[in-house]
Amino acid sequence: MRTATGCFRLDGRRANGQLNAGLEIFAHELKNDELAALRVQVTVISVGGYDDVQILQPWTDAVDFQPPVIQASGMTPLGKGMDMALEEVRNQKAVYDADGISRTRPWVIMISDGCPNDYGWEEAAARCRQEEADKRVVVFPIGTEGADFTALGQFSAKSPKQLKGLQL
């Protein structure tokens, strides 16, 4: 079973529209891939406000995934959101293990339009890199135009990619 979780934060209508359209395409592609539709589970976590982190889409099979509409709001508590994403992945892996379900390394897809600005985000970024180094997850940092790619790059051993329209 492949799991994917996302931590999303966007300001501005253009970037917000790009993300929501991207989530629609992601859902469409998952459902149209016979293997992924049966083997992938997805959850969506949103960050915003001052310190707001919430699960917009609980774990669901790809075939049933209905992408939520994400709205921009306030600050970017990305560290807190990524900590929640790592915890969600750990919990879901424990469910698979308890049920004897084989799995591959989960992906965490992080998309942001700005810069993390919550207290302790650097420690959360270090935890993400350690989880990658320990082969527990793969983190894909993605930024829209105007994002702080240096900061986003601290969440992964991978270089952050820029979302251009609906492509990387």
Side-chain angles (χ1 to χ4, degrees):
M1 182 69 70
R2 164 82 64 198
T3 56
T5 184
C7 206
F8 303 103
R9 165 72 179 98
L10 290 171
D11 282 328
R13 282 177 236 166
R14 180 170 175 237
N16 202 27
Q18 287 176 358
L19 174 62
N20 286 314
L23 283 173
E24 289 285 339
I25 291 169
F26 176 66
H28 176 77
E29 293 296 321
L30 284 175
K31 290 175 185 181
N32 286 320
D33 182 308
E34 288 181 29
L35 197 56
L38 298 174
R39 292 189 178 182
V40 173
Q41 286 196 312
V42 179
T43 186
V44 178
I45 298 169
S46 175
V47 303
Y50 175 72
D51 200 24
D52 186 30
V53 177
Q54 61 180 326
I55 296 173
L56 294 182
Q57 170 64 64
W59 289 107
T60 188
D61 294 332
V63 71
D64 298 322
F65 176 56
Q66 296 297 319
V69 175
I70 297 177
Q71 300 294 325
S73 64
M75 306 294 281
T76 310
L78 202 50
K80 186 176 177 183
M82 290 302 287
D83 277 340
M84 180 184 277
L86 293 176
E87 183 65 23
E88 284 296 309
V89 166
R90 273 190 296 275
N91 291 341
Q92 193 65 8
K93 285 168 57 174
V95 168
Y96 296 159
D97 292 345
D99 291 341
I101 299 171
S102 64
R103 57 180 165 77
T104 59
R105 191 177 326 167
W107 293 0
V108 177
I109 302 167
M110 175 186 73
I111 303 176
S112 178
D113 70 335
C115 179
N117 51 24
D118 51 331
Y119 178 78
W121 73 265
E122 295 92 345
E123 290 82 9
R127 283 188 289 279
C128 288
R129 290 191 313 273
Q130 188 61 54
E131 290 289 302
E132 276 191 319
D134 293 342
K135 301 193 182 305
R136 292 187 186 112
V137 299
V138 179
V139 177
F140 293 94
I142 301 170
T144 63
E145 185 177 330
D148 183 336
F149 287 88
T150 301
L152 296 182
Q154 292 185 45
F155 286 88
S156 177
K158 299 182 178 330
S159 296
K161 303 290 184 193
Q162 183 171 355
L163 183 65
K164 296 177 185 174
L166 297 177
Q167 298 182 4
L168 296 175

